[in-house]
PDB file of all heavy atoms in Angstrom:
ATOM      1  N   CYS B  94      87.166 178.918  48.595  1.00 95.00           N
ATOM      2  CA  CYS B  94      85.921 179.155  47.872  1.00 95.00           C
ATOM      3  C   CYS B  94      85.779 180.650  47.625  1.00 95.00           C
ATOM      4  O   CYS B  94      86.397 181.479  48.291  1.00 95.00           O
ATOM      5  CB  CYS B  94      84.717 178.637  48.638  1.00 95.00           C
ATOM      6  SG  CYS B  94      84.258 179.628  50.068  1.00 95.00           S
ATOM      7  N   SER B  95      84.988 180.970  46.643  1.00 93.00           N
ATOM      8  CA  SER B  95      84.633 182.368  46.417  1.00 93.00           C
ATOM      9  C   SER B  95      83.165 182.442  46.042  1.00 93.00           C
ATOM     10  O   SER B  95      82.605 181.496  45.499  1.00 93.00           O
ATOM     11  CB  SER B  95      85.493 182.989  45.320  1.00 93.00           C
ATOM     12  OG  SER B  95      85.218 182.393  44.081  1.00 93.00           O
ATOM     13  N   ALA B  96      82.578 183.564  46.357  1.00 91.00           N
ATOM     14  CA  ALA B  96      81.166 183.768  46.069  1.00 91.00           C
ATOM     15  C   ALA B  96      81.006 185.025  45.242  1.00 91.00           C
ATOM     16  O   ALA B  96      81.678 186.031  45.479  1.00 91.00           O
ATOM     17  CB  ALA B  96      80.377 183.888  47.375  1.00 91.00           C
ATOM     18  N   GLN B  97      80.114 184.939  44.286  1.00 85.00           N
ATOM     19  CA  GLN B  97      79.880 186.073  43.399  1.00 85.00           C
ATOM     20  C   GLN B  97      78.662 186.842  43.883  1.00 85.00           C
ATOM     21  O   GLN B  97      77.577 186.278  44.013  1.00 85.00           O
ATOM     22  CB  GLN B  97      79.653 185.574  41.973  1.00 85.00           C
ATOM     23  CG  GLN B  97      79.463 186.668  40.950  1.00 85.00           C
ATOM     24  CD  GLN B  97      79.268 186.080  39.566  1.00 85.00           C
ATOM     25  OE1 GLN B  97      78.244 185.483  39.283  1.00 85.00           O
ATOM     26  NE2 GLN B  97      80.257 186.236  38.719  1.00 85.00           N
ATOM     27  N   ARG B  98      78.872 188.104  44.118  1.00 79.00           N
ATOM     28  CA  ARG B  98      77.755 188.952  44.505  1.00 79.00           C
ATOM     29  C   ARG B  98      77.265 189.686  43.272  1.00 79.00           C
ATOM     30  O   ARG B  98      78.048 190.181  42.486  1.00 79.00           O
ATOM     31  CB  ARG B  98      78.176 189.960  45.578  1.00 79.00           C
ATOM     32  CG  ARG B  98      77.023 190.819  46.089  1.00 79.00           C
ATOM     33  CD  ARG B  98      77.450 191.720  47.212  1.00 79.00           C
ATOM     34  NE  ARG B  98      78.405 192.740  46.785  1.00 79.00           N
ATOM     35  CZ  ARG B  98      78.866 193.702  47.587  1.00 79.00           C
ATOM     36  NH1 ARG B  98      78.462 193.750  48.836  1.00 79.00           N
ATOM     37  NH2 ARG B  98      79.723 194.585  47.141  1.00 79.00           N
ATOM     38  N   GLY B  99      75.972 189.759  43.134  1.00 67.00           N
ATOM     39  CA  GLY B  99      75.445 190.452  41.974  1.00 67.00           C
ATOM     40  C   GLY B  99      75.238 189.497  40.822  1.00 67.00           C
ATOM     41  O   GLY B  99      75.436 188.291  40.940  1.00 67.00           O
ATOM     42  N   GLY B 100      74.874 190.045  39.692  1.00 61.00           N
ATOM     43  CA  GLY B 100      74.535 189.220  38.555  1.00 61.00           C
ATOM     44  C   GLY B 100      75.745 188.694  37.829  1.00 61.00           C
ATOM     45  O   GLY B 100      76.894 188.989  38.161  1.00 61.00           O
ATOM     46  N   SER B 101      75.456 187.934  36.827  1.00 58.00           N
ATOM     47  CA  SER B 101      76.503 187.328  36.031  1.00 58.00           C
ATOM     48  C   SER B 101      77.338 188.405  35.348  1.00 58.00           C
ATOM     49  O   SER B 101      76.819 189.413  34.896  1.00 58.00           O
ATOM     50  CB  SER B 101      75.851 186.436  34.974  1.00 58.00           C
ATOM     51  OG  SER B 101      76.807 185.923  34.090  1.00 58.00           O
ATOM     52  N   GLY B 102      78.632 188.176  35.315  1.00 56.00           N
ATOM     53  CA  GLY B 102      79.508 189.099  34.621  1.00 56.00           C
ATOM     54  C   GLY B 102      79.950 190.303  35.422  1.00 56.00           C
ATOM     55  O   GLY B 102      80.697 191.135  34.904  1.00 56.00           O
ATOM     56  N   THR B 103      79.509 190.416  36.661  1.00 58.00           N
ATOM     57  CA  THR B 103      79.966 191.571  37.447  1.00 58.00           C
ATOM     58  C   THR B 103      81.418 191.412  37.837  1.00 58.00           C
ATOM     59  O   THR B 103      82.112 192.385  38.090  1.00 58.00           O
ATOM     60  CB  THR B 103      79.124 191.745  38.727  1.00 58.00           C
ATOM     61  OG1 THR B 103      79.183 190.549  39.501  1.00 58.00           O
ATOM     62  CG2 THR B 103      77.684 192.052  38.370  1.00 58.00           C
ATOM     63  N   GLY B 104      81.859 190.183  37.939  1.00 52.00           N
ATOM     64  CA  GLY B 104      83.291 189.949  38.029  1.00 52.00           C
ATOM     65  C   GLY B 104      83.901 189.927  39.406  1.00 52.00           C
ATOM     66  O   GLY B 104      84.863 189.228  39.626  1.00 52.00           O
ATOM     67  N   GLU B 105      83.407 190.715  40.328  1.00 66.00           N
ATOM     68  CA  GLU B 105      84.094 190.773  41.610  1.00 66.00           C
ATOM     69  C   GLU B 105      83.654 189.618  42.480  1.00 66.00           C
ATOM     70  O   GLU B 105      82.471 189.410  42.728  1.00 66.00           O
ATOM     71  CB  GLU B 105      83.821 192.093  42.323  1.00 66.00           C
ATOM     72  CG  GLU B 105      84.689 192.260  43.558  1.00 66.00           C
ATOM     73  CD  GLU B 105      84.506 193.602  44.222  1.00 66.00           C
ATOM     74  OE1 GLU B 105      83.592 194.331  43.820  1.00 66.00           O
ATOM     75  OE2 GLU B 105      85.265 193.894  45.149  1.00 66.00           O
ATOM     76  N   LEU B 106      84.643 188.879  42.918  1.00 81.00           N
ATOM     77  CA  LEU B 106      84.375 187.750  43.784  1.00 81.00           C
ATOM     78  C   LEU B 106      84.894 188.042  45.183  1.00 81.00           C
ATOM     79  O   LEU B 106      85.855 188.784  45.358  1.00 81.00           O
ATOM     80  CB  LEU B 106      85.062 186.489  43.261  1.00 81.00           C
ATOM     81  CG  LEU B 106      84.637 185.990  41.878  1.00 81.00           C
ATOM     82  CD1 LEU B 106      85.423 184.748  41.522  1.00 81.00           C
ATOM     83  CD2 LEU B 106      83.151 185.700  41.845  1.00 81.00           C
ATOM     84  N   PHE B 107      84.252 187.429  46.134  1.00 88.00           N
ATOM     85  CA  PHE B 107      84.685 187.550  47.518  1.00 88.00           C
ATOM     86  C   PHE B 107      85.146 186.175  47.968  1.00 88.00           C
ATOM     87  O   PHE B 107      84.421 185.191  47.823  1.00 88.00           O
ATOM     88  CB  PHE B 107      83.560 188.097  48.378  1.00 88.00           C
ATOM     89  CG  PHE B 107      83.155 189.487  47.962  1.00 88.00           C
ATOM     90  CD1 PHE B 107      82.152 189.672  47.028  1.00 88.00           C
ATOM     91  CD2 PHE B 107      83.813 190.593  48.476  1.00 88.00           C
ATOM     92  CE1 PHE B 107      81.789 190.948  46.614  1.00 88.00           C
ATOM     93  CE2 PHE B 107      83.455 191.869  48.078  1.00 88.00           C
ATOM     94  CZ  PHE B 107      82.447 192.045  47.140  1.00 88.00           C
TER      95      PHE B 107
END
Side-chain angles (χ1 to χ4, degrees):
Chain B
C94 73
S95 66
Q97 183 179 70
R98 184 176 66 176
S101 174
T103 57
E105 189 176 9
L106 298 180
F107 297 91

